[in-house]
Amino acid sequence: MATDNYSSGRSESPESCEDNQEESGLNETITIRFIANSREVGSIIGRKGDNVKRIREESGSRLNISDSSSPERIVTISGSTTEILKAFSMICAKFEQEMDGSQPDGSLLPITIQLIIPNNHCGSLIGKGGSNIKDLREATGATIQVANDMLPHSNERMVTISGSTDTVMQCIQRLCAIAAETKALGSTVPYQPQKSFYGSDLYNSRTGVRDRQER
C-alpha cells in the first residue's frame, strides 16, 4: 500500500527519482492506490484503451481500474518503485496535458492526486508533532492533506496531494519508500466506493459527506 515520509530537499525529475530508488535497491513489489473521477479515468484509459495500454507496457507496472458502478473509481498500480514512478509520471503528464486554463503567472494549474493510505502508515507520513509532513510540504512545495477520519468500511485514510508533476512525483517517491519500509500491522481493510443505485446515500470521498442520489 502507500504512505509518506520525506528525506529529499531538492526538486527531482521522475527519471532521477527512479535512479535514486534503483540505487537504494527498493525493487520489491508494492501497491499504490488512488481515487479518480470519471474524467480522470477517461484520461488514463484513453481512446480505445490506447493510453492505459501504453502506460502498462512502458512502465512495466500492473495497472487496474475498478468497475464503473460508482461515481468514483479506484486506480491500483503495483510493481517495483521504479515501475510505479514511471506509471505515475505518465498519468500526471496526461492530467497536466488535458488541464484547462492556467494560473495568473502563466504556470499550469496544480494536479491533484487522492491517495488511499493504510491507517498504520499515516504515522510515518505525519511524524512526531507533524514534523515529517511539515518537512515534506516545505521541501516539495506540495499541498498535502491527511484526512482525520478513515474512509467508510475500511482502515484506510485519504491523503490528497496537489502541485506540479515534479512536486507530486517527489511525494509519490517518498510514499513508495514508506510502503516498502513499513511492516503491516494486522490486515488492511481496503476502501471500496459504494455502488450507485436509485435513492441511495453515497459517501463522497472528496467532500467527506454523503450525497443523496435523487430521481
Side-chain angles (χ1 to χ4, degrees), residues 1-4 28-32 81 84 118 121 173-184:
M1 299 292 174
T3 292
D4 244 304
E28 63 184 271
T29 298
I30 56 177
T31 298
I32 304 290
T81 295
I84 288 174
H121 286 190
Q173 177 190 11
R174 192 55 194 154
L175 288 168
C176 288
I178 290 180
E181 295 165 1
T182 304
K183 293 182 179 180

Side-chain angles (χ1 to χ4, degrees), residues 86-133:
K86 178 62 177 177
F88 265 105
S89 71
M90 295 176 74
I91 290 170
C92 288
K94 188 66 175 178
F95 286 175
E96 205 168 58
Q97 176 187 337
E98 297 190 355
M99 195 166 290
D100 295 326
S102 61
Q103 300 191 80
D105 62 1
S107 61
L108 294 172
L109 294 169
I111 296 167
T112 298
I113 301 288
Q114 293 186 303
L115 296 160
I116 304 171
I117 309 298
N119 187 53
N120 70 295
H121 286 190
C122 289
S124 298
L125 167 61
I126 296 169
K128 187 175 181 180
S131 59
N132 289 348
I133 195 168

Side-chain angles (χ1 to χ4, degrees), residues 24 66 80 89 99 101 111 119 131 156-157 163 166 190 200 202 207:
S24 300
S66 63
S80 68
S89 71
M99 195 166 290
I111 296 167
N119 187 53
S131 59
E156 297 184 305
R157 290 159 73 181
D166 285 348
S200 66
L202 291 174
T207 62

Side-chain angles (χ1 to χ4, degrees), residues 137-170:
R137 287 168 176 152
E138 291 178 352
T140 65
T143 299
I144 307 170
Q145 296 179 321
V146 181
N148 291 325
D149 299 324
M150 286 183 278
L151 290 161
H153 312 297
S154 78
N155 57 4
E156 297 184 305
R157 290 159 73 181
M158 186 165 63
V159 176
T160 304
I161 300 173
S162 296
S164 65
T165 292
D166 285 348
T167 292
V168 170
M169 289 303 299
Q170 288 181 68

